[in-house]
Amino acid sequence: MINATAYRARLQQRLILAFTGYTVLVSALFGLFAMAFVYTVEDQFFDSALRQEAQAQDISLRAGKGWREPAQDFIRLYRPGQALPEDLAQARLREPRARELSGEQGRHYHLWPLPEDRGLLVAEVSGQLIVRPMRRQLLVWLGAWGGGLALLALGLGWWLARRTSAPLARLAQTVAQSRPEQLPTDLAARYGDDEVGLLAAHLDRLNQRTRDFIAREQAFTRDASHELRTPLAVLSLACERLQRTALPEQRASLDSMAAALWQLQQTVELLLALARESSPALGQGEPLALLPQIEQLVLAHAPLLDQQGIELDLQVPAALTRPWPPALTQLLLANLLGNALAHRQSPLIRISADAQCLSIANASVAPPEDLLGADAAGRQPGLKGEGSAGLGLGLSIVRRLAERHGLRLELRHQSGWTTVSLMDAPLPADGAETGATF
């Protein structure tokens, strides 16, 4: 059964994580941009001061007044040949093209070369820095605000997720609790004019169509059961009476008619069994001996088997039992036997059973490769072997009926013999062979 609560929780978690993740991402990007902005503004302030001082020095030189004392006390003028501070000189050796260098003991330098190599303006700004000394406080402040916004986003995301997913969860729960005989058709009236309401309206229309379809299917199954079984029973009785009084030259035709009627009866029973909504559960009834059921099937169709000269080799232990309903056993065996008769290349047909499987084997040409293997038989309706006069639907129909009762159909071909087996054991998890012999 589908767990609607788990699906709702996953949807809520995704909405909450998306909302919170987006807020954290925006907060982190805003913090990075803010730090980059204040650093840039501070650096631009120092570069602007150096540029203004360079212009003032150039004006003083052009006026013939010589070098002037820098207007800002944190700016120093170093003329060509004049020694720089030791930590600045070493930093310039490492990064000769840098305009911003770090010195010892927390000193920080901004450089501005004068035109024509006439000197170098140096601003030691460690005492003027505002952003760097309070960098830790800025990061803590931004982190606190980011965390607060993330918590707010978490709360808003939780509220939004519950508000968004609650109607969808109620709709899913209602659909999960619906039964085929009581499909709801008033879902749209319980929801608003939004996407969930639109989904509910579509489900209402789908449920109504499904209810109509179920009603038509039940009516068809009921009518077909009466309208098909009755004339077939009448024809079978008439055929039996004619066979008892028939002339020798008429007996072959009547035997063919009886075989065709038997095949048609089995087909009708099989299709009607597939059309039923519910199937009896296996393993809950009293186990019945399998050999008497097979013998009953063989005796019921002895005229047909004698007509075709069939030799049956039964290898079924007398004490072997199966918890299968007798009607199911008769249906499956009759159709598998009919399939063996249709494709046989010799009069011998083997029916064997053990604790794991029930098998019917006959000599035949190799079936298509796609039909062979564990639980592959009949998976592709319409697939049939060479020389088959049917539509390739027989194995597919039998497989569907077997699966309805928790059985597994398997087809194998070895040494010119084709074996169809019915097993009530599930497929191994790793797809390995079951170990049964066929």
Side-chain angles (χ1 to χ4, degrees):
M1 181 178 178
I2 297 176
N3 191 342
T5 305
Y7 277 83
R8 178 182 60 186
R10 290 178 186 175
L11 179 60
Q12 289 182 356
Q13 290 172 3
R14 290 172 183 171
L15 289 173
I16 293 173
L17 289 177
F19 207 85
T20 306
Y22 177 76
T23 303
V24 171
L25 178 63
V26 171
S27 299
L29 290 176
F30 173 79
L32 291 175
F33 289 148
M35 292 296 293
F37 174 76
V38 294
Y39 269 92
T40 302
V41 169
E42 190 174 54
D43 289 341
Q44 288 295 326
F45 169 76
F46 295 132
D47 289 344
S48 177
L50 287 171
R51 183 170 53 252
Q52 292 177 3
E53 182 61 35
Q55 293 174 353
Q57 293 290 347
D58 184 63
I59 293 173
S60 177
L61 290 175
R62 290 178 182 276
K65 299 179 180 180
W67 299 102
R68 60 187 296 273
E69 190 69 21
Q72 303 287 343
D73 57 359
F74 61 88
I75 298 178
R76 294 289 183 269
L77 173 63
Y78 293 92
R79 292 192 289 273
Q82 191 173 358
L84 296 173
E86 184 178 355
D87 57 347
L88 176 59
Q90 294 178 356
R92 288 200 74 191
L93 288 176
R94 292 191 298 269
E95 301 179 65
R97 296 181 178 276
R99 300 285 294 273
E100 183 178 354
L101 296 170
S102 296
E104 298 176 352
Q105 299 180 354
R107 287 187 289 271
H108 196 79
Y109 299 99
H110 278 253
L111 311 180
W112 191 274
L114 295 175
E116 301 175 1
D117 295 330
R118 290 185 295 180
L120 179 68
L121 289 175
V122 177
E124 200 286 299
V125 298
S126 58
Q128 314 298 322
L129 294 176
I130 298 177
V131 176
R132 285 177 177 79
M134 58 183 304
R135 178 171 50 191
R136 184 182 298 275
Q137 290 88 338
L138 283 175
L139 292 175
V140 171
W141 183 80
L142 290 173
W145 274 102
L149 289 175
L151 291 176
L152 178 62
L154 188 64
L156 290 176
W158 177 82
W159 175 81
L160 181 62
R162 284 185 58 87
R163 185 178 180 86
T164 302
S165 63
L168 189 59
R170 290 198 306 271
L171 178 60
Q173 190 69 23
T174 302
V175 173
Q177 294 174 351
S178 300
R179 293 181 295 175
E181 63 273 12
Q182 293 180 345
L183 293 175
T185 57
D186 59 345
L187 296 174
R190 310 177 194 178
Y191 301 93
D193 186 16
D194 53 14
E195 289 81 358
V196 178
L198 180 62
L199 175 61
H202 287 305
L203 285 175
D204 283 341
R205 288 193 288 271
L206 179 61
N207 286 344
Q208 185 60 51
R209 292 178 60 188
T210 304
R211 292 176 65 173
D212 295 342
F213 173 78
I214 292 175
R216 290 195 302 270
E217 183 186 32
Q218 291 175 343
F220 169 78
T221 305
R222 182 179 60 251
D223 296 341
S225 177
H226 178 269
E227 298 298 331
L228 293 177
R229 284 172 172 166
T230 301
L232 287 175
V234 172
L235 288 173
S236 293
L237 291 174
C239 190
E240 289 178 6
R241 287 195 298 267
L242 289 173
Q243 283 178 315
R244 287 194 294 268
T245 61
L247 297 175
E249 60 270 16
Q250 297 173 333
R251 186 168 299 278
S253 298
L254 290 173
D255 288 343
S256 298
M257 291 174 59
L261 282 171
W262 172 75
Q263 187 69 35
L264 185 56
Q265 286 174 328
Q266 297 305 318
T267 301
V268 169
E269 292 293 336
L270 184 61
L271 292 177
L272 291 177
L274 280 176
R276 297 188 187 100
E277 174 65 24
S278 59
S279 302
L282 296 182
Q284 297 181 358
E286 181 181 356
L288 300 175
L290 186 59
L291 182 58
Q293 299 183 66
I294 298 177
E295 291 175 341
Q296 182 182 5
L297 174 69
V298 172
L299 290 175
H301 304 97
L304 174 65
L305 300 177
D306 292 339
Q307 176 195 355
Q308 299 190 19
I310 300 302
E311 179 184 352
L312 288 180
D313 179 15
L314 295 182
Q315 301 177 10
V316 181
L320 185 63
T321 61
R322 281 288 189 273
W324 304 345
L328 174 66
T329 305
Q330 293 291 323
L331 274 176
L332 293 176
L333 283 176
N335 280 274
L336 292 178
L337 180 59
N339 190 70
L341 291 173
H343 298 89
R344 64 182 176 84
Q345 287 188 328
S346 73
L348 179 61
I349 295 179
R350 294 172 182 166
I351 301 179
S352 60
D354 55 26
Q356 293 180 326
C357 68
L358 168 66
S359 303
I360 297 181
N362 61 282
S364 71
V365 298
E369 190 68 26
D370 291 340
L371 289 179
L372 300 177
D375 208 39
R379 283 290 178 187
Q380 300 184 37
L383 193 62
K384 60 181 182 178
E386 297 180 4
S388 175
L391 299 177
L393 300 176
L395 278 180
S396 176
I397 295 174
V398 174
R399 177 189 59 77
R400 286 159 51 199
L401 180 61
E403 288 183 348
R404 287 280 297 275
H405 292 79
L407 300 176
R408 181 161 58 97
L409 189 69
E410 184 171 330
L411 185 69
R412 289 184 177 270
H413 183 81
Q414 186 176 5
S415 302
W417 282 78
T418 299
T419 304
V420 181
S421 301
L422 281 172
M423 292 163 283
D424 50 9
L427 278 171
D430 57 357
E433 301 296 340
T434 60
T437 56
F438 308 102

